[in-house]
Amino acid sequence: MMKKTELIKIYDPQQDAEGVRRAAELLRQGGLVAIPTETVYGLAADACNAEAVRAVYAAKGRPSDNPMIVHIADREMLPELVASAPPAAALLADAFWPGPLTMVLPRSQRVPLTTTGGLESVAVRMPSHPVARAVIRAAGVPLAAPSANRSGSPSPTTYRHCIDDLWGLVDAVVESDDCAVGVESTVVSLLGEVPQILRPGAVTPEDIRRVCGGVTVADAVLHLLPQDAAAPSPGMKYKHYAPAAALTLVAGSQSDYAAYVNGLYGERCRAGEDGGFYAMCFDEDVSLLQAPTISYGAAYDYASQAQNLFDVLRQLDKLEAAEVCVHAPEPEEIGLAVYNRLLRAAAFRVVKL
Ligand code: TXA
Ligand code: MG
């Protein structure tokens, strides 16, 4: 059933106070509102309203065992959501909240199992985006907010991406600026002895090690889990983005990448099979390549790669790309998050030169 979706303009929470009020009103009534955060846009609903959360799963087409992140605006909102928190939680919150870090902790009874995908743990994050914070505060409730894309498409980093995916399926989309970080938050589990990174993001393993003294990175971040392995984070089981094109990650120097792509493109041209061939590359690669190119940033500017990643993946779908050779990012700093997302988009196809 189609809904009437409102576009609510909030660029500045003070100047656009009426928009904040309207978004909060819809959320308190159990509505679904796409809101900006510093990482990606989220599809928000009252985290403690199971019916509203069920509607989020439905609008996204998301499997109901894939849990949601609960967003708070103030540290005081945390205790009511969790049954307990180890000392590392306070240290990490001091260091990285508000910001792109999500902590997995034992859930309190206040958080419905619908929100946690049936798990006894809950993922909590305090975003730094002023619009997200203003909307959470005005709603007065913690907000469950998965990325505001249809399940299987790249996370949205502009309000237009939200409109493309969710118009007619949600109550409102907030019109605001493009997301500054561009990849989803770091998810760290504090359920074990040592913090474990379940999903890399802008807060790096090194950042967490510095604060907590130790950290591990889940195998699934860089490796395909065996069919029968239990995933520590349900999201790892799912192929995140299923671009229509077959993506391959090509790891190597600028000249090796160019030689590989030019060779393959030449073959495709001779066979008359070059339609839909693209090189998703760095700015510096463009002049060396014979194939059509689409750049996702400068080779050593990991932050810009993160910022552009999802928009470029969406553009490739619009271009009806069929075969894409991606110049693999360095898996360092936020580049690890970019590599992790691309690895999944490429269904783990990697060529190392
Ligand atoms: O940056 C972000 O985190 C964005 C913005 C909107 O805040 N949100 C986001 O949500 O990316 P989503 O739902 O697309 O991804 C949440 C991830 C999933 O991989 C999910 O499996 C994992 O967090 N997760 C949530 N709760 C969990 C839990 N209790 N235990 C383990 N993993 C959990
Ligand atoms: Mg998502």
Side-chain angles (χ1 to χ4, degrees), residues 40 60 62 66 146-149 151 153-156 184 199 240-241:
V40 301
K60 279 182 58 86
R62 177 178 177 115
N66 193 0
S147 49
N149 51 291
S151 204
S153 79
S155 290
E184 307 89 339
R199 180 177 73 181
H240 270 206
Y241 328 108

Side-chain angles (χ1 to χ4, degrees), residues 186-229:
T186 304
V187 178
V188 63
S189 169
L190 299 181
L191 300 177
E193 284 288 301
V194 179
Q196 183 178 48
I197 293 185
L198 305 180
R199 180 177 73 181
V203 176
T204 65
E206 180 52 28
D207 291 332
I208 293 177
R209 199 196 53 75
R210 220 180 312 115
V211 170
C212 297
V215 68
T216 61
V217 177
D219 270 353
V221 166
L222 288 176
H223 305 282
L224 182 58
L225 285 180
Q227 282 292 317
D228 53 354

